[in-house]
Amino acid sequence: MNETSAIVILLAAILTNNILLTNFLGICSFIACSGQIGTAVGLGTAVTFVLTMTTMINFAIYHLVLIPLGLDHLTFIIFIAVIAAFVQFVEMFVEKFSPKLYFALGIFLPLITVNCAILGASLFMIIRDYSFLQSVGFGFGAGIGWALAIILMAGLRQKMRYSNIPQPFQGVPIAMIVTCVLAMAFMGFAGMVSIQ
Amino acid sequence: MAQNRQSACLPCGKGLCGGKGLLTLKDGAWTNNPLAIQVLGICSALAVTNRLENSLVMGAALIFVCVGSNLFVSLLRKYTPHRIRMIAEVAIIATFVILFDQFLKAFYWDMSKQLGPYVGLIITNCIVMGRAEAFALQNPPVLSIVDGLANGFGYAVILAIIGFFRELLGTGKVMGYTMLDGQWYTPNQLMILAPGAFFALGVIIAIFNWLKGPEVEENK
């Protein structure tokens, strides 16, 4: 078990080991939903919440159920089931108690099940052998980092609408190139904190 | 016409796939290439392509999972209630991913370590899910296998291309053999780091767009 404090992991997950820009997780919805800043903020919030909660639930299930029973080869299938069930649950809960929030987030919630950042964070937590507090820090940080990246990207793409892009590069390719520049900018944080 | 189709499908024997085999193959691997044209499943395409070897293993993994899950989703398509089809698909896909993961852990431990969580992440790869949902649910098993093979292959080839150029430009080597001599070529470390991945994929997609010409945009 590594001894890094949860706060350091939180910071590292946001800046130096950004789950989107260095681990490439959640790119699909990042490319598809980064057209508008409002949309990006909604999706970012939803992902942060689900990411934090599922990391905690998956940590508990992995260490309290799967390991004692020697069922760790079922990790993937259990994790994805937990994530799908949790997203479904959140959707029903939000719909019942806060219809306003439901209409703001509604369409993004089902998308989150197939967002690989969620499953990826749970798998990283297992591979890096985090304790409970570290997992919470990592899950929350990864969510914030993802939200930060998609909001920055949405801002850039809104500006880009007025630029004259060569035809083959229009759409996804230019988004990739811009992400490349964004990733380079984030590399500037590299020396600050690091996690493994 | 039917005669023509039959002869077009000779490689697969008796035309089991109803003569649509080659068409499906071309559609998956080229016209509707999952990675370069539809831009699905790019997470893993970016993450594992820092070395050609990793790219090849990942491509093989996707072909295996895609063929396997397409076959079983197709076999069970008449018995799966419509409302729970998603969770059934995810369960089938996860099963094949676990099989491949356990295989890697047993025989290629180093590779398993290098790929890390990305093998497990095939479960959330939009290509596999997309093919199961869009193709295997409506088509017979043999045709679904062909479709899985074609899409997996289309993915694997693009992955190999990206992996080749990133390793070549980033380290000057390919599969451990020195290709670009250190005396006149300084390896560009950026290519094996994160930004290089985004750049390489962006350029590859742009090249595909350019090859296909402007009519792609109109079709969309």
Side-chain angles (χ1 to χ4, degrees):
Chain A
M1 182 135 331
N2 66 47
E3 298 290 333
T4 329
S5 91
I7 302 290
V8 172
I9 291 183
L10 178 89
L11 266 181
I14 298 175
L15 295 174
T16 57
N17 288 51
N18 189 296
I19 197 156
L20 200 148
L21 296 171
T22 59
N23 293 320
F24 314 104
L25 297 176
I27 301 273
C28 303
S29 30
F30 172 76
I31 294 291
C33 301
S34 58
Q36 301 275 339
I37 291 194
T39 321
V41 172
L43 191 60
T45 319
V47 165
T48 309
F49 177 66
V50 174
L51 202 50
T52 317
M53 296 307 287
T54 51
T55 333
M56 290 201 277
I57 300 173
N58 280 340
F59 181 89
I61 289 183
Y62 186 76
H63 286 279
L64 298 178
V65 181
L66 293 179
I67 290 289
L69 296 179
L71 289 174
D72 52 330
H73 56 276
L74 290 180
T75 306
F76 296 160
I77 205 162
I78 300 282
F79 278 10
I80 195 77
V82 165
I83 291 166
F86 184 76
V87 171
Q88 193 84 54
F89 175 75
V90 170
E91 202 180 343
M92 290 188 320
F93 187 82
V94 173
E95 189 180 10
K96 183 123 173 87
F97 289 98
S98 169
K100 205 176 160 202
L101 187 65
Y102 179 74
F103 282 112
L105 291 183
I107 43 167
F108 304 122
L109 280 172
L111 272 179
I112 291 176
T113 313
V114 288
N115 189 325
C116 34
I118 313 283
L119 182 62
S122 291
L123 293 178
F124 271 123
M125 164 189 89
I126 300 303
I127 289 175
R128 292 175 182 166
D129 206 8
Y130 285 154
S131 71
F132 183 70
L133 264 184
Q134 288 172 324
S135 302
V136 177
F138 180 67
F140 187 60
I144 299 276
W146 196 88
L148 180 66
I150 193 173
I151 293 168
L152 283 176
M153 184 66 182
L156 288 171
R157 282 184 93 166
Q158 281 194 340
K159 291 277 177 208
M160 236 156 52
R161 231 175 269 160
Y162 305 106
S163 27
N164 186 15
I165 300 159
Q167 200 276 325
F169 275 95
Q170 279 170 17
V172 180
I174 194 70
M176 283 292 173
I177 307 284
V178 171
T179 318
C180 160
V181 178
L182 204 57
M184 259 194 267
F186 268 70
M187 276 174 72
F189 292 114
M192 207 170 69
V193 275
S194 71
I195 46 172
Q196 192 46 60
Chain B
M1 193 61 196
Q3 196 59 41
N4 258 347
R5 280 184 174 176
Q6 283 290 333
S7 61
C9 200
L10 264 183
C12 66
K14 301 158 202 151
L16 273 175
C17 41
K20 289 187 202 147
L22 273 184
L23 201 66
T24 315
L25 200 64
K26 185 180 171 234
D27 194 55
W30 175 251
T31 333
N32 269 324
N33 188 297
L35 207 60
I37 306 293
Q38 301 184 56
V39 201
L40 294 175
I42 39 186
C43 311
S44 51
L46 292 166
V48 300
T49 47
N50 52 355
R51 287 173 63 223
L52 180 58
E53 207 182 345
N54 297 1
S55 317
L56 293 176
V57 172
M58 195 66 187
L62 200 102
I63 293 177
F64 171 74
V65 174
C66 214
V67 169
S69 64
N70 257 10
L71 171 65
F72 276 84
V73 169
S74 175
L75 281 174
L76 295 172
R77 71 187 189 282
K78 289 183 182 137
Y79 309 100
T80 319
H82 192 69
R83 290 182 60 188
I84 60 151
R85 68 187 194 287
M86 293 286 220
I87 199 83
E89 284 160 16
V90 170
I92 291 171
I93 294 168
T95 312
F96 281 96
V97 173
I98 290 172
L99 280 180
F100 196 87
D101 186 54
Q102 297 285 319
F103 171 78
L104 272 190
K105 274 187 183 146
F107 296 104
Y108 299 97
W109 176 246
D110 292 341
M111 185 51 76
S112 172
K113 271 273 157 222
Q114 282 206 15
L115 291 178
Y118 295 103
V119 176
L121 285 168
I122 297 179
I123 298 176
T124 51
N125 191 315
C126 334
I127 299 175
V128 187
M129 192 74 184
R131 291 332 286 176
E133 180 77 15
F135 197 90
L137 270 182
Q138 280 102 38
N139 287 286
V142 177
L143 202 56
S144 298
I145 293 182
V146 176
D147 182 72
L149 206 59
N151 279 281
F153 187 70
Y155 173 87
V157 168
I158 304 287
L159 221 60
I161 296 175
I162 302 178
F164 176 80
F165 281 106
R166 280 186 70 192
E167 194 179 352
L168 182 70
L169 298 177
T171 64
K173 294 175 182 173
V174 172
M175 307 274 286
Y177 299 102
T178 309
M179 304 290 272
L180 296 173
D181 202 335
Q183 282 175 347
W184 60 273
Y185 181 78
T186 313
N188 180 2
Q189 288 279 322
L190 200 63
M191 284 308 281
I192 49 172
L193 293 172
F198 290 111
F199 182 75
L201 188 62
V203 171
I204 294 266
I205 296 174
I207 291 175
F208 259 74
N209 281 351
W210 179 65
L211 285 178
K212 283 186 72 99
E215 86 271 31
V216 181
E217 291 298 314
E218 287 161 27
N219 287 346
K220 277 177 187 169

